Amino acid sequence: MGDERPVYTLDEALSALRFGKYQALVLAYAGLGWVSEAMEIMILSFVGPAVKSKWKLTSSEESLLTTVVFAGMLLGAYSWGIISDNYGRRKSFLGIAMVTSVAGLLSSFSPNYVLLVIFRCFVGVGLGGVPVFLAYFLEFVPVSHRGTWMVALSAFWTAGTIFEASLAWVVMTRLNWRWLLAFSSVPSFALLLFYGLAPESPSGDSKCGSKVLHADKSKDNSLYVDVFIASLAELPGLILSAIIVDKIGRKLSMVLMFVSACIFLLPLVFHQSAVVTTVLLFGVRMCVTGTITVATIYAPEIYPTSARTTGFGVASSLGKVGGMVCPLVAVGLVTSCHLRLAVILFEVVFVLAIASSLLFPFETMGRELKDTVDAIES
């Protein structure tokens, strides 16, 4: 009897140890995965117009370069989730990094449009595994400050978008799109390089704008300045979500920021000056970034350890449908000068998102992560 030692649950142990150097290492590795995805997504804003100009593509062919990436992400999110839940987080990291880095580098050597589309689709498959990095870090964070630290992880996405905009500004005005594709694959290769430093998840162990950007502007610095400024809007979005996520809860945070996005977007139904338009779009992106940040915290918290990355992967893959449809529908409306209709379309989507957020059955703020479905139901 005297030899008995106290028994801790995983969350109790993490809370007792608090956030230390070990979690910082996990944050850095998971954050590198987010930087990789952000750069590969952001690059679509620059490569599409340049390739369209070089190979004389139609607008539909240019949009397909974006659509295939999100189609690949839809497939990858589900597939990597299953692999992660059944074989461990680290094994999925290896596959994700290999597919993304190799396909990203091969994209820069594409001799024609068809091969570029194929390689970018494979990049999308690799990027679909990024939710695994979020679930991985989630399982190392103490419950009391989980929301704050998950926002910190999301800051790596913002860093990736800002860095990609800066990189494009330098590379596209001096070299060409092939060099940009090659340089943008470096973070994925870094994931392979530092793979040996990433520990297995403890939970896994227990289981065992309104301006149309034309191709002839690819050498114009103003394009990259505009994208760089827009990317900065994510910073206040991250700060806002960090402030409220652990105070008012996940659901109310998402609703509040979706409503704010609707308010910022609504004046754009009518023509506004360039300055007002930029300010309003800055506000929209800030709120949407904050909402996505909270949603990526909330989603993996709902699922048990045994199905966390699979469930989050399915949810993430459904989100990629929007990424596939947007270039074909919303961008099509903008390029055909139906700006008001495009704004109304986004307002309708925001309203549906608000209704969906209100219908979520659980609030996860302050709740411990569960290992089984039965534990969640109880």
Side-chain angles (χ1 to χ4, degrees), residues 235-280:
L235 291 174
L238 289 172
I239 294 171
L240 176 61
S241 59
I243 292 172
I244 66 177
V245 68
D246 281 328
K247 289 183 171 63
I248 66 175
R250 288 26 168 175
K251 291 175 59 177
L252 187 55
S253 295
M254 288 187 283
V255 170
L256 178 63
M257 288 186 284
F258 267 135
V259 171
S260 299
C262 282
I263 294 172
F264 278 116
L265 186 63
L266 190 58
L268 294 178
V269 172
F270 306 100
H271 178 72
Q272 305 292 339
S273 67
V275 173
V276 173
T277 299
T278 300
V279 172
L280 291 173

Short mmCIF file of all heavy atoms in Angstrom, two decimals, residues 235-280:
data_model
loop_
_atom_site.label_atom_id
_atom_site.label_comp_id
_atom_site.label_asym_id
_atom_site.label_seq_id
_atom_site.Cartn_x
_atom_site.Cartn_y
_atom_site.Cartn_z
N LEU A 235 -2.73 38.94 -38.97
CA LEU A 235 -2.13 39.15 -37.65
C LEU A 235 -3.15 39.64 -36.62
O LEU A 235 -3.26 39.05 -35.54
CB LEU A 235 -0.96 40.12 -37.76
CG LEU A 235 0.27 39.59 -38.50
CD1 LEU A 235 1.31 40.70 -38.67
CD2 LEU A 235 0.88 38.42 -37.75
N PRO A 236 -3.92 40.73 -36.89
CA PRO A 236 -4.94 41.11 -35.91
C PRO A 236 -6.02 40.04 -35.74
O PRO A 236 -6.61 39.93 -34.66
CB PRO A 236 -5.52 42.41 -36.48
CG PRO A 236 -5.15 42.43 -37.92
CD PRO A 236 -3.84 41.70 -38.00
N GLY A 237 -6.27 39.24 -36.78
CA GLY A 237 -7.23 38.14 -36.66
C GLY A 237 -6.76 37.11 -35.65
O GLY A 237 -7.55 36.61 -34.83
N LEU A 238 -5.49 36.79 -35.70
CA LEU A 238 -4.91 35.85 -34.73
C LEU A 238 -4.95 36.42 -33.32
O LEU A 238 -5.29 35.71 -32.36
CB LEU A 238 -3.48 35.52 -35.12
CG LEU A 238 -3.28 34.64 -36.35
CD1 LEU A 238 -1.80 34.56 -36.70
CD2 LEU A 238 -3.83 33.25 -36.11
N ILE A 239 -4.63 37.70 -33.18
CA ILE A 239 -4.64 38.33 -31.86
C ILE A 239 -6.05 38.33 -31.29
O ILE A 239 -6.26 38.02 -30.11
CB ILE A 239 -4.08 39.76 -31.95
CG1 ILE A 239 -2.59 39.72 -32.35
CG2 ILE A 239 -4.25 40.50 -30.63
CD1 ILE A 239 -2.01 41.08 -32.67
N LEU A 240 -7.01 38.69 -32.12
CA LEU A 240 -8.41 38.72 -31.67
C LEU A 240 -8.87 37.34 -31.20
O LEU A 240 -9.48 37.20 -30.14
CB LEU A 240 -9.31 39.22 -32.81
CG LEU A 240 -10.82 39.22 -32.53
CD1 LEU A 240 -11.15 40.13 -31.35
CD2 LEU A 240 -11.59 39.65 -33.78
N SER A 241 -8.58 36.32 -32.00
CA SER A 241 -9.00 34.96 -31.62
C SER A 241 -8.29 34.49 -30.35
O SER A 241 -8.89 33.82 -29.51
CB SER A 241 -8.74 33.98 -32.77
OG SER A 241 -7.37 33.96 -33.13
N ALA A 242 -7.02 34.88 -30.18
CA ALA A 242 -6.29 34.49 -28.97
C ALA A 242 -6.90 35.12 -27.73
O ALA A 242 -6.94 34.52 -26.66
CB ALA A 242 -4.82 34.90 -29.10
N ILE A 243 -7.41 36.35 -27.88
CA ILE A 243 -7.98 37.07 -26.74
C ILE A 243 -9.31 36.45 -26.30
O ILE A 243 -9.58 36.31 -25.10
CB ILE A 243 -8.18 38.56 -27.09
CG1 ILE A 243 -6.81 39.24 -27.25
CG2 ILE A 243 -9.01 39.27 -26.03
CD1 ILE A 243 -6.91 40.66 -27.77
N ILE A 244 -10.15 36.05 -27.26
CA ILE A 244 -11.52 35.66 -26.91
C ILE A 244 -11.76 34.15 -26.82
O ILE A 244 -12.71 33.72 -26.18
CB ILE A 244 -12.54 36.27 -27.90
CG1 ILE A 244 -12.36 35.69 -29.31
CG2 ILE A 244 -12.41 37.78 -27.93
CD1 ILE A 244 -13.37 36.20 -30.31
N VAL A 245 -10.89 33.33 -27.44
CA VAL A 245 -11.22 31.91 -27.57
C VAL A 245 -11.32 31.20 -26.23
O VAL A 245 -12.18 30.31 -26.05
CB VAL A 245 -10.19 31.21 -28.49
CG1 VAL A 245 -8.81 31.16 -27.83
CG2 VAL A 245 -10.65 29.81 -28.85
N ASP A 246 -10.50 31.56 -25.27
CA ASP A 246 -10.54 30.91 -23.96
C ASP A 246 -11.35 31.71 -22.93
O ASP A 246 -11.37 31.36 -21.75
CB ASP A 246 -9.12 30.69 -23.41
CG ASP A 246 -8.44 29.47 -24.03
OD1 ASP A 246 -9.17 28.51 -24.35
OD2 ASP A 246 -7.21 29.49 -24.21
N LYS A 247 -12.00 32.78 -23.41
CA LYS A 247 -12.82 33.59 -22.51
C LYS A 247 -14.31 33.43 -22.77
O LYS A 247 -15.11 33.28 -21.85
CB LYS A 247 -12.43 35.06 -22.62
CG LYS A 247 -11.06 35.39 -22.02
CD LYS A 247 -10.77 36.88 -22.11
CE LYS A 247 -9.52 37.25 -21.31
NZ LYS A 247 -8.31 36.59 -21.83
N ILE A 248 -14.71 33.44 -24.03
CA ILE A 248 -16.14 33.34 -24.35
C ILE A 248 -16.50 32.01 -25.01
O ILE A 248 -17.67 31.76 -25.29
CB ILE A 248 -16.61 34.52 -25.24
CG1 ILE A 248 -15.94 34.45 -26.62
CG2 ILE A 248 -16.30 35.84 -24.58
CD1 ILE A 248 -16.46 35.51 -27.59
N GLY A 249 -15.51 31.17 -25.27
CA GLY A 249 -15.78 29.86 -25.85
C GLY A 249 -15.58 29.80 -27.34
O GLY A 249 -15.51 30.83 -28.02
N ARG A 250 -15.52 28.56 -27.85
CA ARG A 250 -15.25 28.37 -29.28
C ARG A 250 -16.44 28.79 -30.14
O ARG A 250 -16.29 29.52 -31.13
CB ARG A 250 -14.95 26.90 -29.56
CG ARG A 250 -13.64 26.29 -29.12
CD ARG A 250 -12.91 26.82 -27.99
NE ARG A 250 -11.84 25.92 -27.55
CZ ARG A 250 -10.98 26.23 -26.61
NH1 ARG A 250 -11.04 27.41 -26.00
NH2 ARG A 250 -10.03 25.37 -26.26
N LYS A 251 -17.63 28.33 -29.78
CA LYS A 251 -18.81 28.59 -30.62
C LYS A 251 -19.11 30.08 -30.71
O LYS A 251 -19.31 30.62 -31.81
CB LYS A 251 -20.02 27.84 -30.06
CG LYS A 251 -19.93 26.33 -30.20
CD LYS A 251 -21.10 25.64 -29.51
CE LYS A 251 -22.43 26.08 -30.07
NZ LYS A 251 -23.57 25.36 -29.44
N LEU A 252 -19.16 30.76 -29.58
CA LEU A 252 -19.49 32.18 -29.59
C LEU A 252 -18.41 32.99 -30.29
O LEU A 252 -18.71 33.99 -30.97
CB LEU A 252 -19.67 32.67 -28.15
CG LEU A 252 -20.19 34.11 -27.99
CD1 LEU A 252 -21.50 34.28 -28.75
CD2 LEU A 252 -20.38 34.46 -26.51
N SER A 253 -17.15 32.57 -30.18
CA SER A 253 -16.06 33.26 -30.88
C SER A 253 -16.27 33.19 -32.39
O SER A 253 -16.12 34.20 -33.10
CB SER A 253 -14.71 32.64 -30.51
OG SER A 253 -14.41 32.82 -29.15
N MET A 254 -16.62 32.01 -32.89
CA MET A 254 -16.84 31.85 -34.33
C MET A 254 -18.02 32.68 -34.80
O MET A 254 -17.96 33.35 -35.84
CB MET A 254 -17.04 30.37 -34.68
CG MET A 254 -15.76 29.55 -34.58
SD MET A 254 -15.94 27.85 -35.18
CE MET A 254 -16.81 27.10 -33.80
N VAL A 255 -19.10 32.65 -34.04
CA VAL A 255 -20.29 33.42 -34.42
C VAL A 255 -19.97 34.91 -34.45
O VAL A 255 -20.33 35.63 -35.39
CB VAL A 255 -21.45 33.12 -33.45
CG1 VAL A 255 -22.61 34.09 -33.70
CG2 VAL A 255 -21.93 31.70 -33.62
N LEU A 256 -19.31 35.39 -33.41
CA LEU A 256 -18.99 36.81 -33.30
C LEU A 256 -18.14 37.29 -34.48
O LEU A 256 -18.41 38.34 -35.08
CB LEU A 256 -18.26 37.08 -31.98
CG LEU A 256 -17.79 38.52 -31.73
CD1 LEU A 256 -18.98 39.45 -31.66
CD2 LEU A 256 -16.97 38.60 -30.45
N MET A 257 -17.15 36.49 -34.84
CA MET A 257 -16.26 36.92 -35.92
C MET A 257 -16.90 36.75 -37.30
O MET A 257 -16.62 37.53 -38.22
CB MET A 257 -14.92 36.18 -35.82
CG MET A 257 -14.07 36.68 -34.65
SD MET A 257 -12.40 35.98 -34.56
CE MET A 257 -12.78 34.33 -33.93
N PHE A 258 -17.76 35.74 -37.47
CA PHE A 258 -18.50 35.62 -38.72
C PHE A 258 -19.43 36.81 -38.93
O PHE A 258 -19.55 37.35 -40.02
CB PHE A 258 -19.30 34.32 -38.75
CG PHE A 258 -18.59 33.17 -39.40
CD1 PHE A 258 -18.59 31.91 -38.80
CD2 PHE A 258 -17.92 33.33 -40.60
CE1 PHE A 258 -17.94 30.84 -39.40
CE2 PHE A 258 -17.26 32.26 -41.21
CZ PHE A 258 -17.28 31.01 -40.60
N VAL A 259 -20.13 37.21 -37.86
CA VAL A 259 -21.02 38.37 -37.93
C VAL A 259 -20.23 39.62 -38.29
O VAL A 259 -20.65 40.44 -39.12
CB VAL A 259 -21.78 38.56 -36.60
CG1 VAL A 259 -22.53 39.90 -36.60
CG2 VAL A 259 -22.76 37.41 -36.37
N SER A 260 -19.06 39.78 -37.67
CA SER A 260 -18.21 40.94 -37.97
C SER A 260 -17.76 40.93 -39.43
O SER A 260 -17.72 41.98 -40.09
CB SER A 260 -16.98 40.94 -37.04
OG SER A 260 -17.37 41.02 -35.68
N ALA A 261 -17.43 39.74 -39.94
CA ALA A 261 -17.04 39.64 -41.35
C ALA A 261 -18.19 40.07 -42.26
O ALA A 261 -17.97 40.76 -43.27
CB ALA A 261 -16.61 38.21 -41.67
N CYS A 262 -19.41 39.66 -41.92
CA CYS A 262 -20.59 40.08 -42.70
C CYS A 262 -20.73 41.59 -42.72
O CYS A 262 -21.04 42.19 -43.75
CB CYS A 262 -21.85 39.45 -42.11
SG CYS A 262 -22.10 37.73 -42.53
N ILE A 263 -20.50 42.20 -41.56
CA ILE A 263 -20.64 43.66 -41.46
C ILE A 263 -19.59 44.36 -42.31
O ILE A 263 -19.88 45.34 -43.01
CB ILE A 263 -20.54 44.09 -39.99
CG1 ILE A 263 -21.74 43.54 -39.19
CG2 ILE A 263 -20.49 45.61 -39.87
CD1 ILE A 263 -21.65 43.75 -37.70
N PHE A 264 -18.35 43.87 -42.25
CA PHE A 264 -17.29 44.47 -43.07
C PHE A 264 -17.56 44.31 -44.56
O PHE A 264 -17.26 45.20 -45.37
CB PHE A 264 -15.94 43.84 -42.73
CG PHE A 264 -15.27 44.41 -41.51
CD1 PHE A 264 -15.05 43.63 -40.40
CD2 PHE A 264 -14.85 45.73 -41.49
CE1 PHE A 264 -14.42 44.15 -39.27
CE2 PHE A 264 -14.22 46.27 -40.37
CZ PHE A 264 -14.02 45.48 -39.25
N LEU A 265 -18.12 43.18 -44.95
CA LEU A 265 -18.31 42.88 -46.37
C LEU A 265 -19.52 43.59 -46.98
O LEU A 265 -19.51 43.93 -48.17
CB LEU A 265 -18.45 41.36 -46.56
CG LEU A 265 -18.51 40.84 -47.99
CD1 LEU A 265 -17.20 41.14 -48.73
CD2 LEU A 265 -18.77 39.33 -48.00
N LEU A 266 -20.54 43.82 -46.17
CA LEU A 266 -21.82 44.33 -46.69
C LEU A 266 -21.69 45.62 -47.49
O LEU A 266 -22.33 45.75 -48.55
CB LEU A 266 -22.80 44.51 -45.53
CG LEU A 266 -24.26 44.79 -45.92
CD1 LEU A 266 -24.80 43.67 -46.80
CD2 LEU A 266 -25.11 44.98 -44.67
N PRO A 267 -20.91 46.63 -47.05
CA PRO A 267 -20.82 47.87 -47.85
C PRO A 267 -20.28 47.66 -49.26
O PRO A 267 -20.51 48.50 -50.14
CB PRO A 267 -19.87 48.75 -47.02
CG PRO A 267 -19.97 48.23 -45.63
CD PRO A 267 -20.16 46.75 -45.79
N LEU A 268 -19.60 46.55 -49.50
CA LEU A 268 -19.02 46.31 -50.83
C LEU A 268 -20.08 45.88 -51.84
O LEU A 268 -19.76 45.71 -53.02
CB LEU A 268 -17.92 45.25 -50.73
CG LEU A 268 -16.68 45.67 -49.94
CD1 LEU A 268 -15.67 44.54 -49.87
CD2 LEU A 268 -16.05 46.91 -50.55
N VAL A 269 -21.32 45.71 -51.40
CA VAL A 269 -22.41 45.49 -52.35
C VAL A 269 -22.53 46.70 -53.27
O VAL A 269 -22.94 46.59 -54.43
CB VAL A 269 -23.74 45.23 -51.60
CG1 VAL A 269 -24.92 45.20 -52.57
CG2 VAL A 269 -23.66 43.92 -50.84
N PHE A 270 -22.17 47.85 -52.74
CA PHE A 270 -22.18 49.09 -53.51
C PHE A 270 -20.74 49.54 -53.78
O PHE A 270 -19.82 49.20 -53.04
CB PHE A 270 -22.94 50.19 -52.75
CG PHE A 270 -24.33 49.78 -52.35
CD1 PHE A 270 -24.58 49.37 -51.05
CD2 PHE A 270 -25.36 49.79 -53.27
CE1 PHE A 270 -25.85 48.97 -50.66
CE2 PHE A 270 -26.64 49.40 -52.89
CZ PHE A 270 -26.88 48.98 -51.59
N HIS A 271 -20.57 50.30 -54.83
CA HIS A 271 -19.22 50.73 -55.22
C HIS A 271 -18.60 51.59 -54.13
O HIS A 271 -19.23 52.50 -53.60
CB HIS A 271 -19.28 51.51 -56.53
CG HIS A 271 -17.95 52.03 -56.97
ND1 HIS A 271 -16.94 51.21 -57.46
CD2 HIS A 271 -17.43 53.30 -56.96
CE1 HIS A 271 -15.88 51.93 -57.74
NE2 HIS A 271 -16.15 53.20 -57.46
N GLN A 272 -17.34 51.31 -53.81
CA GLN A 272 -16.61 52.08 -52.81
C GLN A 272 -15.28 52.51 -53.42
O GLN A 272 -14.81 51.96 -54.41
CB GLN A 272 -16.35 51.22 -51.56
CG GLN A 272 -17.58 50.61 -50.93
CD GLN A 272 -18.51 51.63 -50.30
OE1 GLN A 272 -18.08 52.74 -49.98
NE2 GLN A 272 -19.77 51.27 -50.11
N SER A 273 -14.68 53.51 -52.79
CA SER A 273 -13.36 53.96 -53.26
C SER A 273 -12.33 52.87 -52.98
O SER A 273 -12.56 51.95 -52.20
CB SER A 273 -12.96 55.25 -52.53
OG SER A 273 -12.73 54.99 -51.15
N ALA A 274 -11.17 53.00 -53.61
CA ALA A 274 -10.13 51.99 -53.47
C ALA A 274 -9.66 51.87 -52.02
O ALA A 274 -9.44 50.77 -51.52
CB ALA A 274 -8.94 52.32 -54.38
N VAL A 275 -9.54 53.01 -51.34
CA VAL A 275 -9.08 52.99 -49.95
C VAL A 275 -10.10 52.31 -49.05
O VAL A 275 -9.76 51.45 -48.22
CB VAL A 275 -8.80 54.42 -49.45
CG1 VAL A 275 -8.48 54.41 -47.96
CG2 VAL A 275 -7.65 55.05 -50.24
N VAL A 276 -11.37 52.67 -49.21
CA VAL A 276 -12.44 52.07 -48.39
C VAL A 276 -12.53 50.58 -48.66
O VAL A 276 -12.68 49.76 -47.74
CB VAL A 276 -13.79 52.77 -48.65
CG1 VAL A 276 -14.92 52.03 -47.94
CG2 VAL A 276 -13.74 54.22 -48.20
N THR A 277 -12.43 50.20 -49.93
CA THR A 277 -12.50 48.79 -50.29
C THR A 277 -11.37 48.01 -49.62
O THR A 277 -11.58 46.92 -49.08
CB THR A 277 -12.41 48.62 -51.81
OG1 THR A 277 -13.51 49.28 -52.43
CG2 THR A 277 -12.42 47.15 -52.20
N THR A 278 -10.16 48.56 -49.65
CA THR A 278 -9.01 47.89 -49.03
C THR A 278 -9.22 47.73 -47.53
O THR A 278 -8.95 46.65 -46.97
CB THR A 278 -7.73 48.70 -49.28
OG1 THR A 278 -7.50 48.79 -50.69
CG2 THR A 278 -6.53 48.03 -48.63
N VAL A 279 -9.72 48.77 -46.88
CA VAL A 279 -9.96 48.71 -45.43
C VAL A 279 -11.01 47.66 -45.10
O VAL A 279 -10.85 46.87 -44.16
CB VAL A 279 -10.39 50.09 -44.89
CG1 VAL A 279 -10.85 49.99 -43.44
CG2 VAL A 279 -9.25 51.09 -45.01
N LEU A 280 -12.09 47.64 -45.86
CA LEU A 280 -13.17 46.68 -45.60
C LEU A 280 -12.70 45.24 -45.83
O LEU A 280 -13.00 44.34 -45.03
CB LEU A 280 -14.37 46.99 -46.50
CG LEU A 280 -15.13 48.29 -46.17
CD1 LEU A 280 -16.18 48.57 -47.23
CD2 LEU A 280 -15.77 48.22 -44.79
#
